[in-house]
Amino acid sequence: MRLVGLLLSLVALTAEAAVEPAGLAMLAEQQQVPLAELQAAVASARLRQEVLDTISRPWEAKPWHRYRPLFVTPDRIRDGLQFWQHHAATLARAEQTYRVPASLIVAIIGIETFYGRQMGSHPVLDSLYTLGFHYPERSDFFAKEFAQLVLLAKEEGWQLDTLKGSYAGAMGMGQFMPSSYRHYAVDFDGDGKRDLFANPADAIGSVANYFASHQWRWGEAVVEPAQIGLMAVDPLLRREPELTQQWSELAAAGIELATPLAPQTPVKLLAFDQADGPEYWVARHNFYVITRYNRSPLYAMAVYQLSQAIQEAYASSSQTPPAQPELVAGRLQ
């Protein structure tokens, strides 16, 4: 046992030494965090190998036909309906305040944490320390989030070592990273706190605020199934989430939609791998907005399809859905 303890101590010391003082000082200056507070946070954090192992095998690496069944499930639809019914007044107020559909808000919370039941058990301080200082692929992003966590905990009066979340450092019902929590979390019930861990009203308002802040367009389509002609369309696929194409470019390749679009409409062609071959869709501005929450097109499509299923379930229930544009095939309004 002594040997094991000694080895663990050596690992911790090695990890600690890997944080260069000059780099930490630069981070403190860039993020406007007192250096002493950042140093104290680093000294309190632990390197977590399980975090590095988990981030190396993300769910988004799966093909669509294996990814979708993880999130668009009967249980998630049923519980989403119940969540909507239980928080109908708050969701209606969020729609009116932010012009973001209730079905989208519910789907985000459903996919992120199964409506608040699975918010993560990883120490957030350790996760962000591990990824910020020992994961070179995205160390810049996670180191900034580590610094943002220090600021957030100070602002909210939290103890750093008590916060739990995902392996990537996301927190609360909507799984906000520290910078998003600082900028987009709202006190939606007016109790003087922004509590995304235990207060559904704040979680609902904060998710709505996030999408409103990223220019969600009420009443516009999200994504539509595409009919592919005889021409090869794979050269039109793009890796970046931004809408870098216009509809005229896709139409010239023989792609058709049920909804006519103006030639200059910004779009993006998407391909989702089914077991028997690719399925093509055309993304619009609101699909891109969902990718601002998570860059993966698989994630954005799962959110869209879950939101559509929940809205249809709500419309079919005994309760009257809040006033919003009609849901039609291929559209979340």
Side-chain angles (χ1 to χ4, degrees):
M1 292 297 293
R2 282 188 175 183
L3 178 59
V4 172
L6 178 59
L7 289 173
L8 290 174
S9 298
L10 288 174
V11 169
L13 287 171
T14 301
E16 184 68 27
V19 182
E20 298 180 0
L24 200 62
M26 182 178 299
L27 179 65
E29 182 178 358
Q30 289 175 343
Q31 300 297 307
Q32 299 183 331
V33 185
L35 179 58
E37 295 178 15
L38 206 56
Q39 290 171 329
V42 167
S44 300
R46 288 181 52 201
L47 175 63
R48 301 272 181 172
Q49 183 61 43
E50 65 269 21
V51 169
L52 296 174
D53 294 340
T54 303
I55 202 170
S56 69
R57 49 177 191 272
W59 285 343
E60 284 78 12
K62 299 179 185 295
W64 172 244
H65 65 90
R66 292 178 57 197
Y67 181 90
R68 184 184 187 277
L70 297 173
F71 299 104
V72 187
T73 64
D75 287 350
R76 232 178 273 259
I77 296 167
R78 181 199 64 221
D79 291 358
L81 171 60
Q82 293 174 356
F83 184 88
W84 191 341
Q85 291 171 335
H86 188 71
H87 301 287
T90 302
L91 285 159
R93 184 161 62 89
E95 281 194 331
Q96 294 166 2
T97 303
Y98 296 107
R99 303 293 288 171
V100 172
S103 56
L104 175 67
I105 300 167
V106 174
I108 288 287
I109 295 173
I111 283 183
E112 291 291 346
T113 63
F114 220 120
Y115 311 104
R117 297 201 298 272
Q118 299 172 1
M119 291 187 287
S121 58
H122 295 272
V124 176
L125 179 68
D126 294 350
S127 293
L128 293 175
Y129 166 78
T130 298
L131 297 174
F133 301 104
H134 303 283
Y135 182 62
E137 288 87 339
R138 297 191 65 194
S139 59
D140 286 349
F141 171 78
F142 286 109
K144 291 175 182 176
E145 291 297 336
F146 181 86
Q148 289 290 306
L149 178 67
V150 174
L151 291 172
L152 175 64
K154 185 177 182 180
E155 291 166 356
E156 302 293 332
W158 298 339
Q159 292 292 323
L160 274 172
D161 58 0
T162 65
L163 300 172
K164 299 294 177 64
S166 76
Y167 71 88
M171 298 174 288
M173 296 182 192
Q175 293 290 276
F176 278 25
M177 295 299 288
S179 61
S180 291
Y181 204 120
R182 292 189 69 218
H183 291 106
Y184 303 113
V186 297
D187 173 17
F188 203 52
D189 64 353
D191 67 353
K193 296 182 294 183
R194 301 186 302 170
D195 181 5
L196 307 191
F197 294 91
N199 189 331
D202 286 356
I204 288 167
S206 298
V207 170
N209 183 46
Y210 185 98
F211 279 93
S213 298
H214 288 85
Q215 285 80 54
W216 179 271
R217 295 176 184 170
W218 179 273
E220 289 195 9
V222 176
V223 62
E224 300 184 55
Q227 296 296 320
I228 304 300
L230 298 178
M231 296 178 62
V233 297
D234 283 359
L236 295 173
L237 298 172
R238 304 285 186 268
R239 292 182 60 86
E240 67 275 3
E242 290 78 15
L243 306 184
T244 58
Q245 298 161 310
Q246 292 186 344
W247 171 240
S248 58
E249 181 182 356
L250 302 191
I255 299 173
E256 297 181 355
L257 296 176
T259 305
L261 298 178
Q264 295 78 25
T265 303
V267 294
K268 174 181 171 64
L269 182 65
L270 302 166
F272 294 93
D273 291 330
Q274 300 287 13
D276 58 353
E279 176 182 281
Y280 294 95
W281 293 69
V282 172
R284 303 281 298 280
H285 170 81
N286 281 341
F287 189 90
Y288 169 66
V289 175
I290 299 175
T291 66
R292 301 296 300 276
Y293 207 93
N294 181 314
R295 287 176 61 87
S296 167
L298 300 182
Y299 174 91
M301 181 61 87
V303 167
Y304 166 71
Q305 292 192 356
L306 179 61
S307 69
Q308 191 174 48
I310 292 171
Q311 183 165 310
E312 289 172 349
Y314 194 96
S316 299
S317 70
S318 58
Q319 297 197 24
T320 302
Q324 57 180 322
E326 182 182 0
L327 180 70
V328 296
R331 289 187 178 217
L332 168 65
Q333 302 278 338

